[in-house]
């Protein structure tokens, strides 16, 4: 992987939000040595080493593949680089800048100690002007010590450790008077307040100029500077302000210029005009989250920001851009960066492309003692200072799931266990309150969350959030309803230490079905659960959004929208409602189907389906929208519409309200998987959102009833007389059979006697089949693991041994060619393209026996239909029995019966 980096890695300027023109990128090859012995205790006696035995590629952690070292050892990393560089103007100050170094860092320039820094996530710099040789080569030596101390704010690094230098390093030249920082506070009326810090070598008058939007926005302030640090506050107004939002991420890009004497300091930067707040609407007693004064529903996901080769350092700027693109194409408008601040360039792309960001502070894993608190507070200050100007960031999350806040916890569970909140001591709770209030004072422009909880232990917070990982429609519905009912001002629920709820907005800040199973979900379909979970969320007027775990799969969580490498998973929604995708479930204007994802009903039954409207956008308010619906089903491969209609809806007002009259539909008069598909359309006919539910329609006949000529015989897929597979087992309560590798299923078929059917002229054979991908658990047996805190530190889930694993449909294919034989004579062949599992496996989900333990859930196959040649049909008309062989080549074979897959029959013979 290292050899692929033929050019300098990450060559672009690391801080597009605060960029100077005169700089030199120091990424690339550095001399390196790693000492794993912890033998230095007195930092004052440190001396730079002159012994290096390898080469490392900066800015990648020494544990990552892209560093060229690839050693996940704690220790002390020594770095050396020799460089010749002269600023363009004499007398310029020279700074060496670091994006981030984990954890304790010391820097020498030409043998002289330039400075030290502690903390794994903050950016820092040292002025080295007096040490720098403009007319000769300079040697920079960096010592980075990382021993994973319990007091370090480490975050959730376990997927791949950030050791040593893990963000870009660069040199920068500045004049003697320069702008250290500038914080923009914006209001939607166009008022811009700027708090700037200016450093000056000597006292004197200077001019601070603002020029943005191609000079359309101009402001000048004359300031009197003292020698040293200066705090400057100024303000100006933007006429006809263009507001920043995910839908319209307008940035005012331009420059800050400080003119002092004959020198000028120019910084390229930008700001976005937007206001984040919470507000009461109507007669509600609870707040909603607002963006630019209007309610916003947060469709969010958890982002571990982990890369397979660079770990938490993205290999290229393009990949950071694509991360935000991949989020937006799903219709998401928010991302929660988990237990860490994001790289500045990725935050830039969130600003530029339009993605709201909930940014976490990194946690420590030891006791909340004085050392841990001090290191945490230092890093939190650096993070907020660095990222203050990003309009995409709407919320700071100060702690997660009480990690680092428990004193001598006794258990080692995944996120907590009964009794554990008691180790979250009152004095620690008060410290968390202080941190919350400090953050509010430091940044009053954003929402602050004290602790994103899984143990119902808020102290004081702008958000009333909670986490859950539960599978099963009834279980999710009951849980979410309970949370909503317990959320009201004065409630003790979700708070600890005698603290009570106020009117803070209710939001879920972690959810999914990744841990809602015995031993975790493994790697399984998430499409089915996701759709009914979002319907449950949108039922409730109190809820302002959610954070789904997660954006991409990682080492032990396979609940991502995408695989870790960015390849797609297929949710299958478009096969229920044409054109539907995940984005439909994230629409600001949404139709809630207040019903289970699938119901078992009798043929020809009438079913009333209640609906609700959920609106968190005023785009269509005051308009009449049309809700069209269609009940359709597959009749032996033919798409058939059983019922349809349309309802005119006057679309007005924010929030959730019931649609007065439910949709009432009549089920098909046969066995079928019926789909109720709804589409909300605007006046032009454009789809606003789509949704669906399903029904397993049952005739009650043993052989099934289908709208087709002739007589039907259903042969259970598990009723084979013999098989020849090396690995064979049944699943889904005996309604599915699997054969791994090469082999045959052989069935003894008895046809109706002549008394029952005088003559058989035509025989059609239909069955549902897929390839069969063998997993380790299919071959060697499942090896489930208990949930422990090791999973939060990146433990490998050993997914193929997890009893719940059945890979969700994705870009990877597992083909199998199968042959159909009658009495040993081949009559047909099929290429089965895949071994899929997603929302299309309706029956495989509907007939799961246990909600928190999966049995090949969501798996389904392809409809295979073969007509028996007439010469063989003539024999069968006489014999009335035969051997049916379904033969698979190396890809194996899975057969789906009446209560599995997506077609409601077993091996189905149609006799005419």
């Amino acid at each position: 992987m290292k050899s692929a980096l033929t050019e300098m890695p990450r060559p672009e300027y690391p801080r597009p939000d605060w960029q100077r023109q005169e700089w030199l990128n120091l990424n690339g090859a550095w001399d390196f040595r790693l000492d794993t012995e912890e033998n230095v205790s007195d930092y004052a006696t440190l001396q730079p080493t002159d012994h290096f035995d390898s080469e490392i590629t900066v800015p990648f952690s020494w544990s990552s593949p892209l560093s060229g070292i690839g050693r996940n050892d704690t220790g002390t990393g020594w770095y050396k680089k020799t460089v010749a560089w002269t600023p363009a103007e004499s007398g310029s100050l020279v700074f060496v800048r670091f994006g981030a170094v984990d954890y304790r860092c010391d820097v020498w320039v030409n043998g002289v100690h330039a400075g030290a820094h502690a903390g794994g996530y903050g950016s820092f710099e040292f002025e080295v002007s007096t040490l720098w040789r403009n007319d000769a080569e300079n040697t920079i030596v960096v010592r980075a010590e990382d021993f994973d101390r319990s007091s370090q704010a480490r975050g959730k690094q376990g997927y791949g450790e950030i050791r040593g230098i893990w963000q870009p390093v660069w040199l920068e030249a500045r004049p003697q008077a320069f702008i250290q920082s500038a914080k923009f506070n914006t209001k939607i009326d166009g008022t811009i307040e700027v708090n700037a810090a200016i450093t000056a070598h000597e006292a004197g008058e200077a001019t601070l100029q603002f020029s943005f939007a191609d000079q359309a926005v101009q402001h000048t302030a004359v300031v009197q500077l003292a020698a040293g640090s200066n705090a400057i506050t100024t303000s100006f107004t933007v006429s006809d302000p263009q507001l920043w939002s995910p839908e319209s991420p307008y940035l005012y890009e331009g420059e800050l210029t400080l003119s002092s004497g004959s020198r000028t300091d120019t910084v390229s930067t930008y700001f976005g005009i937007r206001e984040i707040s919470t507000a009461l609407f109507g007669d509600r007693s609870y707040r909603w989250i607002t963006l630019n004064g209007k309610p916003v529903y947060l469709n969010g996901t958890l982002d571990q920001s982990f890369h397979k080769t660079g770990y938490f350092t993205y290999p290229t700027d393009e990949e950071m851009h694509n991360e935000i693109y991949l989020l937006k194409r799903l219709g998401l408008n928010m991302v929660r960066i988990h237990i860490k601040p994001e790289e500045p360039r990725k935050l830039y792309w969130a600003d530029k492309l339009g993605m709201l960001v909930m940014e976490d502070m990194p946690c420590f894993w030891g006791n909340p003692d004085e050392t841990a608190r001090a290191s945490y507070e230092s890093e939190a200050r650096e993070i907020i200072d660095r990222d203050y100007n990003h309009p995409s960031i709407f919320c700071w999350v100060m702690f997660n799931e009480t990690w680092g806040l428990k004193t001598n916890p006794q258990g080692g569970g995944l996120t907590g266990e009964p009794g554990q909140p008691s180790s979250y001591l009152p004095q620690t709770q008060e410290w968390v309150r202080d941190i919350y209030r400090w953050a509010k004072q430091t940044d009053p422009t954003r929402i602050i969350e004290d602790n994103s909880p899984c143990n119902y232990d808020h102290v004081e917070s702008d958000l009333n959030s909670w986490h859950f990982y539960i599978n099963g429609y009834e279980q999710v519905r009951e849980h979410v309803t309970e949370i909503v009912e317990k959320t009201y001002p004065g409630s003790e629920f979700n708070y600890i230490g005698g603290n009570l709820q106020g009117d803070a907005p209710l939001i879920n800040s972690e959810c999914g079905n990744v841990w809602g199973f015995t031993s975790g979900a493994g790697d399984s379909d998430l499409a089915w659960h996701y759709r009914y979970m979002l319907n449950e969320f949108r039922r409730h007027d109190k809820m302002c959004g959610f954070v789904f775990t997660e954006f991409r799969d990682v080492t032990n969580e396979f609940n991502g929208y995408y695989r870790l490498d960015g390849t797609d998973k297929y949710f299958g929604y478009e096969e229920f409602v044409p054109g539907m995708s995940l984005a439909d479930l994230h629409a600001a204007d949404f139709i809630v189907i207040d019903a289970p994802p699938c119901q078992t009903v009798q043929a020809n039954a009438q079913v009333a389906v209640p609906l609700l409207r959920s609106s968190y956008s005023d785009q269509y308010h005051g308009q009449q929208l049309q809700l069209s619906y269609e009940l359709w089903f597959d009749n032996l491969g033919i798409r058939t519409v059983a019922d349809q209609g349309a309802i005119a809806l006057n679309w007005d007002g924010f929030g959730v309200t019931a649609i007065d009259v439910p949709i009432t539909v009549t089920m098909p008069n046969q066995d079928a998987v019926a789909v109720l598909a709804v589409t909300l359309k605007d006046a032009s006919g454009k789809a606003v959102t789509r949704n669906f539910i399903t029904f397993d329609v049952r005739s009650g006949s043993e052989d099934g009833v289908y709208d087709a000529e002739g007589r039907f015989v259903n042969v259970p897929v598990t009723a084979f007389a013999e098989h020849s597979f090396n690995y064979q087992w049944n699943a889904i309560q005996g309604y599915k059979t699997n054969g791994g590798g090469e082999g045959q299923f052989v069935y003894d078929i008895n046809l109706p006697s002549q008394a029952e059917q005088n003559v058989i002229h035509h025989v059609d054979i239909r069955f549902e089949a897929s390839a069969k991908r063998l997993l380790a658990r299919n071959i060697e047996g499942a090896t489930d693991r208990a949930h422990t805190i090791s999973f939060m530190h990146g433990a490998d889930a050993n997914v193929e041994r997890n009893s719940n694993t059945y890979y969700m449909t994705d870009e990877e294919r597992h083909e199998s060619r199968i042959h159909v034989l009658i009495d040993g004579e081949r009559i047909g062949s099929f290429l089965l393209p895949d071994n899929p599992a997603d929302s299309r496996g309706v029956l495989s989900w509907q007939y799961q026996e246990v909600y928190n333990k999966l049995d090949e859930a969501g798996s389904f196959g392809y409809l295979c239909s073969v007509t028996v040649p007439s010469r063989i049909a003539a024999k069968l008309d006489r014999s009335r029995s035969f051997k049916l062989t379904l033969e698979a080549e190396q890809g194996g074979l899975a057969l789906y019966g009446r209560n599995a897959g997506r077609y409601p029959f077993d091996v189905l013979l149609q006799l005419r």
Side-chain angles (χ1 to χ4, degrees):
M1 295 175 180
K2 182 187 174 190
S3 63
L5 294 171
T6 55
E7 299 177 359
M8 176 183 288
R10 301 286 298 273
E12 60 284 331
Y13 190 83
R15 292 286 305 274
D17 59 311
W18 194 257
Q19 179 167 350
R20 288 183 170 86
Q21 292 303 309
E22 193 172 3
W23 68 290
L24 180 69
N25 196 323
L26 297 182
N27 292 345
W30 288 57
D31 294 333
F32 184 71
R33 189 182 91 212
L34 179 59
D35 295 336
T36 57
E37 296 291 326
E38 188 173 1
N39 53 15
V40 176
S41 58
D42 184 4
Y43 289 110
T45 65
L46 284 176
Q47 294 295 321
T49 184
D50 58 1
H51 176 65
F52 297 87
D53 55 16
S54 56
E55 186 177 275
I56 190 170
T57 301
V58 169
F60 302 108
S61 159
W62 74 61
S63 66
S64 74
L66 284 183
S67 71
I69 304 299
R71 290 176 57 185
N72 189 26
D73 295 316
T74 61
T76 300
W78 290 93
Y79 300 74
K80 183 179 79 170
K81 192 172 188 70
T82 301
V83 59
W85 183 65
T86 304
E89 295 192 44
S90 62
S92 294
L93 304 177
V94 177
F95 290 80
V96 58
R97 305 193 65 186
F98 296 86
V101 179
D102 192 18
Y103 179 73
R104 159 85 190 197
C105 176
D106 287 87
V107 178
W108 292 263
V109 173
N110 296 324
V112 180
H113 192 260
H117 177 268
Y121 292 92
S123 297
F124 59 95
E125 65 186 28
F126 303 118
E127 191 209 329
V128 296
S129 310
T130 59
L131 309 178
W132 197 256
R133 301 167 182 162
N134 289 325
D135 55 354
E137 287 193 330
N138 296 270
T139 300
I140 303 172
V141 174
V142 177
R143 178 188 184 277
E145 176 191 290
D146 184 14
F147 284 101
D148 291 351
R149 304 186 198 283
S150 63
S151 60
Q152 290 179 207
R154 296 187 61 240
K156 190 176 175 184
Q157 292 185 27
Y159 303 123
E161 299 290 336
I162 53 170
R163 304 203 184 282
I165 298 172
W166 68 280
Q167 287 190 31
V169 184
W170 70 104
L171 293 171
E172 189 170 284
R174 304 174 196 168
Q176 297 281 336
F178 62 90
I179 310 166
Q180 183 67 47
S181 65
K183 293 181 179 177
F184 292 84
N185 293 323
T186 68
K187 295 187 179 297
I188 58 177
D189 65 0
T191 301
I192 314 296
E193 182 183 88
V194 184
N195 297 311
I198 296 175
T199 300
H201 180 68
E202 58 186 26
E205 185 177 272
T207 301
L208 183 61
Q209 187 169 6
F210 299 77
S211 179
F212 292 90
D214 293 328
Q215 302 182 354
V217 176
Q218 297 274 351
H219 174 67
T220 301
V222 177
V223 296
Q224 295 296 325
L225 300 179
S229 298
N230 298 264
I232 304 295
T233 298
T234 187
S235 63
F236 55 92
T237 301
V238 176
S239 60
D240 189 23
Q242 307 273 332
L243 303 185
W244 186 96
S245 69
E247 297 75 29
S248 180
Y250 187 87
L251 296 178
Y252 285 84
E253 298 175 281
E255 293 181 340
L256 290 181
T257 303
L258 179 70
S259 300
S260 176
S262 62
R263 294 292 303 275
T264 299
D265 182 35
T266 301
V267 177
S268 298
T269 185
Y270 59 84
F271 61 87
I273 300 177
R274 62 99 179 96
E275 288 184 30
I276 291 288
S277 188
T278 66
L280 293 165
F281 286 83
D283 58 357
R284 295 171 178 86
S285 61
Y286 45 88
R287 290 175 177 264
W288 283 338
I289 298 167
T290 61
L291 174 62
N292 299 330
K294 298 179 181 180
V296 58
Y297 192 87
L298 298 175
N299 293 285
T301 188
L302 196 75
D303 188 359
Q304 308 280 8
S305 296
F306 174 69
H307 191 279
K308 188 175 182 179
T309 60
Y311 292 173
F312 294 97
T313 310
Y314 288 92
T316 66
D317 184 56
E318 181 182 26
E319 291 185 66
M320 286 185 274
H321 168 279
N322 290 346
E323 291 281 276
I324 306 302
Y325 167 82
L326 288 172
L327 289 166
K328 287 189 70 72
R329 69 177 291 274
L330 300 178
L332 299 172
N333 61 0
M334 186 264 276
V335 61
R336 179 182 172 201
I337 308 299
H338 199 36
I339 328 291
K340 66 181 286 291
E342 191 50 274
E343 280 203 65
R345 286 206 68 92
K346 187 172 168 186
L347 291 173
Y348 164 72
W349 288 118
D351 297 337
K352 190 75 172 174
L353 300 180
M355 179 61 57
L356 288 164
V357 174
M358 176 183 273
E359 185 162 272
D360 290 12
M361 300 297 138
C363 69
F364 50 88
W365 291 93
N367 282 340
D369 55 28
E370 290 186 11
T371 303
R373 292 184 185 190
S375 68
Y376 169 88
E377 290 171 6
S378 173
E379 292 216 50
R381 189 177 302 109
E382 289 180 332
I383 291 164
I384 292 178
D385 282 346
R386 187 197 73 176
D387 294 342
Y388 190 93
N389 283 337
H390 291 286
S392 57
I393 297 176
F394 78 96
C395 175
W396 304 113
V397 180
M398 308 313 292
F399 297 95
N400 177 74
E401 293 188 342
T402 336
W403 294 346
L405 299 179
K406 297 177 181 178
T407 300
N408 299 323
Q410 299 301 308
L414 189 64
T415 55
E417 47 277 321
Q420 278 302 297
S422 63
S423 64
Y424 181 17
L425 302 180
Q427 56 266 38
T428 309
Q429 296 167 30
E430 290 309 307
W431 177 61
V432 169
R433 191 192 311 277
D434 290 342
I435 293 296
Y436 161 80
R437 291 179 177 178
W438 165 81
K440 282 299 286 184
Q441 184 178 24
T442 301
D443 186 359
T445 70
R446 290 183 171 92
I447 291 170
I448 310 295
E449 183 169 21
D450 62 338
N451 171 46
S452 190
C454 66
N455 290 318
Y456 306 117
D457 47 8
H458 280 298
V459 174
E460 186 174 352
S461 178
D462 293 344
L463 288 181
N464 187 1
S465 80
W466 93 104
H467 299 178
F468 78 91
Y469 292 102
I470 298 172
N471 187 57
Y473 167 73
E474 295 293 346
Q475 290 74 17
V476 168
R477 183 181 179 91
E478 180 181 352
H479 174 76
V480 174
T481 300
E482 178 188 12
I483 297 296
V484 171
E485 290 176 351
K486 289 181 176 179
T487 298
Y488 54 86
S491 171
E492 296 180 351
F493 177 70
N494 208 19
Y495 279 69
I496 195 173
N499 296 287
L500 302 177
Q501 291 185 20
D503 58 4
L506 177 66
I507 181 174
N508 171 270
S509 52
E510 283 188 36
C511 63
N513 59 349
V514 61
W515 298 114
F517 304 87
T518 57
S519 304
D523 190 333
S524 57
D525 166 46
L526 58 94
W528 186 259
H529 174 277
Y530 191 80
R531 183 172 51 86
Y532 67 68
M533 183 176 69
L534 263 62
N535 267 270
E536 288 306 304
F537 288 163
R538 295 299 289 266
R539 284 179 59 230
H540 298 286
D541 191 73
K542 283 182 184 177
M543 280 200 63
C544 294
F546 65 92
V547 176
F548 175 70
T549 305
E550 59 213 292
F551 173 41
R552 294 182 189 245
D553 294 345
V554 287
T555 307
N556 53 28
E557 295 177 339
F558 298 89
N559 211 38
Y561 298 110
Y562 301 97
R563 294 294 180 193
L564 179 58
D565 62 3
T567 54
D568 289 327
K569 294 182 180 180
Y570 298 125
F571 286 65
Y573 299 154
E574 69 283 353
E575 295 207 17
F576 296 91
V577 192
M580 183 174 174
S581 71
L582 271 167
D584 286 281
L585 299 179
H586 304 143
D589 294 285
F590 186 74
I591 294 295
V592 179
I593 303 179
D594 193 9
C598 185
Q599 301 174 57
T600 301
V601 297
Q602 294 300 309
N604 211 35
Q606 278 200 333
V607 179
V609 180
L611 305 174
L612 301 93
R613 60 174 293 279
S614 173
S615 178
Y616 289 89
S617 165
D618 59 4
Q619 180 179 358
Y620 300 107
H621 288 181
Q623 299 182 32
Q624 188 175 80
L625 304 183
Q626 185 181 69
L627 178 65
S628 61
Y629 65 90
E630 182 180 71
L631 184 74
W632 70 271
F633 64 97
D634 183 288
N635 178 47
L636 304 180
I638 300 172
R639 190 181 191 277
T640 305
V641 176
D643 207 342
Q644 59 186 343
I647 303 170
L649 297 176
N650 294 320
W651 202 263
D652 207 4
F654 292 106
V656 181
T657 54
I659 294 174
D660 293 337
V661 180
I663 292 176
T664 300
V665 288
T666 301
M667 293 295 128
N669 193 24
Q670 66 171 82
D671 287 86
V673 171
V675 178
L676 176 61
V678 300
T679 303
L680 184 67
K681 299 178 181 178
D682 66 12
S684 68
K686 178 184 175 183
V688 176
T689 186
R690 306 168 179 89
N691 205 349
F692 69 92
I693 59 170
T694 60
F695 303 88
D696 177 22
V697 185
R698 307 185 74 97
S699 67
S701 169
E702 181 179 350
D703 286 321
V705 173
Y706 310 95
D707 185 12
E709 180 185 351
R711 180 173 185 153
F712 293 92
V713 175
N714 246 316
V715 180
V717 294
T718 54
F720 50 84
E722 57 183 282
H723 79 86
S724 59
F725 292 98
N726 288 331
Y727 303 97
Q728 190 281 320
W729 70 99
N730 299 334
I732 312 178
Q733 303 179 58
Y735 285 97
K736 177 185 176 183
T737 189
N738 299 287
E742 188 177 12
Q744 298 178 338
F745 288 115
V746 180
Y747 297 86
D748 290 330
I749 305 295
N750 292 309
L751 302 178
S753 66
Q754 286 187 329
E756 295 171 300
Q757 184 163 348
N758 181 39
V759 64
I760 299 173
H761 286 151
H762 304 277
V763 179
D764 294 303
I765 302 173
R766 296 181 180 88
F767 55 91
E768 180 181 352
S770 72
K772 182 64 244 163
R773 177 181 183 178
L774 280 172
L775 308 179
R777 70 178 176 88
N778 304 138
I779 299 170
E780 302 169 14
T783 307
D784 289 335
R785 294 179 58 184
H787 292 185
T788 69
I789 201 68
S790 67
F791 282 103
M792 293 301 100
H793 295 294
D796 192 327
N798 204 359
V799 66
E800 284 214 352
R801 298 183 185 279
N802 187 304
S803 60
N804 295 305
T805 288
Y806 195 102
Y807 288 118
M808 185 175 177
T809 320
D810 58 18
E811 290 187 37
E812 189 175 353
R813 290 287 179 255
H814 299 273
E815 295 181 347
S816 184
R817 184 170 294 279
I818 66 165
H819 309 288
V820 182
L821 300 89
I822 290 183
D823 291 333
E825 183 176 349
R826 184 183 295 181
I827 64 167
S829 297
F830 300 92
L831 180 64
L832 302 176
D834 201 1
N835 180 34
D838 56 54
S839 61
R840 289 171 284 185
V842 172
L843 299 172
S844 294
W845 272 113
Q846 177 69 352
Y847 296 106
Q848 287 293 303
E849 196 168 20
V850 183
Y851 75 92
N852 65 347
K853 188 170 178 59
L854 299 180
D855 183 14
E856 305 193 3
S859 60
F860 66 94
Y862 300 91
L863 180 60
C864 300
S865 180
V866 59
T867 297
V868 175
S870 55
R871 56 186 170 75
I872 297 178
K875 296 178 183 178
L876 300 185
D877 180 54
R878 295 191 299 273
S879 66
R880 299 295 169 126
S881 66
F882 65 95
K883 284 190 180 294
L884 173 65
T885 301
L886 302 180
E887 180 181 76
E889 296 182 4
Q890 289 298 322
L893 176 62
L895 298 171
Y896 299 82
R898 172 61 182 82
N899 290 0
R902 58 175 171 172
Y903 297 102
F905 48 76
D906 291 86
V907 177
L908 183 66
L909 282 71
Q910 182 182 1
L911 312 175
R912 290 176 288 148

